[in-house]
Amino acid sequence: RYPSSAILKMYFPDIKFNKNNTAQLVKWFSNFREFYYIQMEKYARQALSEGIKNAEDLRVSVDSELYRVLNLHYNRNNHIEVPDHFLPVIEAALREFMNSIKCGKDSEPSWKKQIYKIIARYDEPIPEYFKTQEFLQQLE
């Protein structure tokens, strides 16, 4: 899911939006999301190749390689405290990918769309503090 231009304008008040930079930001968010799902598929396939048979056996902790890779990619300088909700979402996505691959759904076109719909249920609103001037200044 991509943010609308109205959402972008709300969270980036210092940017003068036009057709080009709006399209660039949407592309950036798309790439952001795609990296997440590439990692989920990679680690699900790895778990299957290591002989894990039950998706419920997959556990992700703050010490997991998958968590480290995602946090490093999205939060390189650790400016943002990772929400508690993040770990259960990673586990859920990883399990959905593993179950789909295990059932052979990955041979179908658009097989990931169903996973995207399931994971979208875990979305939470963007925290209000992201809109504050103090937050924006701490990122500089």
Side-chain angles (χ1 to χ4, degrees), residues 8-64:
L8 291 172
K9 288 173 185 174
M10 185 178 2
Y11 285 95
F12 299 99
D14 53 331
I15 295 176
K16 290 188 167 87
F17 283 92
N18 60 46
K19 187 172 123 182
N20 293 331
N21 64 11
T22 302
Q24 185 60 44
L25 272 173
V26 169
K27 182 179 179 183
W28 181 72
F29 279 104
S30 171
N31 291 342
F32 218 57
R33 181 186 81 160
E34 189 60 25
F35 177 82
Y36 179 83
Y37 287 116
I38 287 169
Q39 297 308 307
M40 293 301 122
E41 181 177 356
K42 173 185 166 185
Y43 281 86
R45 290 187 188 282
Q46 181 179 327
L48 285 165
S49 73
E50 291 172 357
I52 296 174
K53 304 231 183 293
N54 185 351
E56 294 304 312
D57 292 337
L58 294 173
R59 297 278 180 254
V60 180
S61 73
V62 294
D63 298 322
S64 300

Side-chain angles (χ1 to χ4, degrees), residues 92-111:
L94 187 58
R95 290 173 179 167
E96 288 298 330
F97 268 89
M98 182 177 173
N99 285 331
S100 291
I101 294 165
K102 190 174 163 185
C103 292
K105 292 181 182 175
D106 58 328
S107 63
E108 302 169 11
S110 303
W111 67 280

Side-chain angles (χ1 to χ4, degrees), residues 79-80 129-139:
H79 281 302
I80 302 167
Y129 69 85
F130 279 15
K131 298 178 197 174
T132 66
Q133 193 62 36
E134 295 81 24
F135 177 76
L136 295 173
Q137 287 173 346
Q138 93 177 26
L139 293 178

